[in-house]
Amino acid sequence: MTALRRFFILLVVFAGLAPGLASAVQPDEILADSKLEARARGISVGLRCLVCQNQSIDDSNSELARDLRLLVRERLKVGDSDAQVRDFLVRRYGNFILLKPPFDSETALLWGTPALLFAVGAIPLLLGLRRRRQSPPPDPLSQAECDRLASVLNADIPSE
């Protein structure tokens, strides 16, 4: 096996492992009960890190994300359901903590802005296309213009 081939095999293996390596959960945070740990991971993947803002608390290395991961695990240990844990965090931090906030009156602008921007951009485009279809075609070239164009196109270009 050539060195290049071994390199590509290792690259594929590490690329496959990368999503598993991305988690920021520390070994001292992991629960002994694997079912509770799986539930905690499922919840924390959907919660936004309030410091990083574009990462889940499961992926973030910030201290606040660690505190939130520990809080999720504590709530699960006392017997809260997944929905109760999410509701507790939403009451405390608002819908902003959810990576996928629900559609309601508070988040309507957030969800509606892409459609609104699309409509604002599409209206001038459609009006321009409509105007273009309604405008008459340009007049064809006269015979004199055709002759002049042919002479310009056939003229020798002087070389340097």
Side-chain angles (χ1 to χ4, degrees), residues 25-147:
V25 176
Q26 302 298 315
D28 62 328
E29 298 174 26
I30 297 174
L31 297 172
D33 183 352
S34 61
K35 289 182 183 179
L36 276 182
E37 180 61 27
R39 286 178 54 204
R41 292 285 179 104
I43 294 169
S44 62
V45 165
L47 298 175
R48 179 187 319 273
C49 173
L50 300 172
V51 175
C52 307
Q53 296 186 4
N54 286 327
Q55 285 184 318
S56 70
I57 63 170
D58 205 38
D59 297 332
S60 174
N61 288 320
S62 74
E63 285 297 316
L64 180 59
R66 176 182 166 80
D67 293 343
L68 289 171
R69 287 192 302 265
L70 292 171
L71 179 63
V72 166
R73 284 163 174 75
E74 286 173 18
R75 300 294 296 195
L76 289 174
K77 281 195 265 186
V78 297
D80 284 358
S81 68
D82 295 4
Q84 288 172 322
V85 173
R86 278 190 205 93
D87 291 343
F88 173 79
L89 291 167
V90 167
R91 279 194 311 275
R92 192 176 231 190
Y93 299 103
N95 279 331
F96 184 73
I97 196 160
L98 300 174
L99 280 172
K100 293 180 183 175
F103 182 79
D104 59 16
S105 61
E106 293 177 4
T107 59
L109 185 62
L110 171 71
W111 287 103
T113 299
L116 182 66
L117 289 175
F118 178 76
V120 166
I123 289 172
L125 180 67
L126 293 175
L127 291 175
L129 288 174
R130 184 175 175 203
R131 244 186 260 124
R132 190 172 181 185
R133 284 188 195 143
Q134 292 175 348
S135 65
D139 293 333
L141 295 177
S142 66
Q143 186 60 40
E145 291 170 328
C146 287
D147 293 341

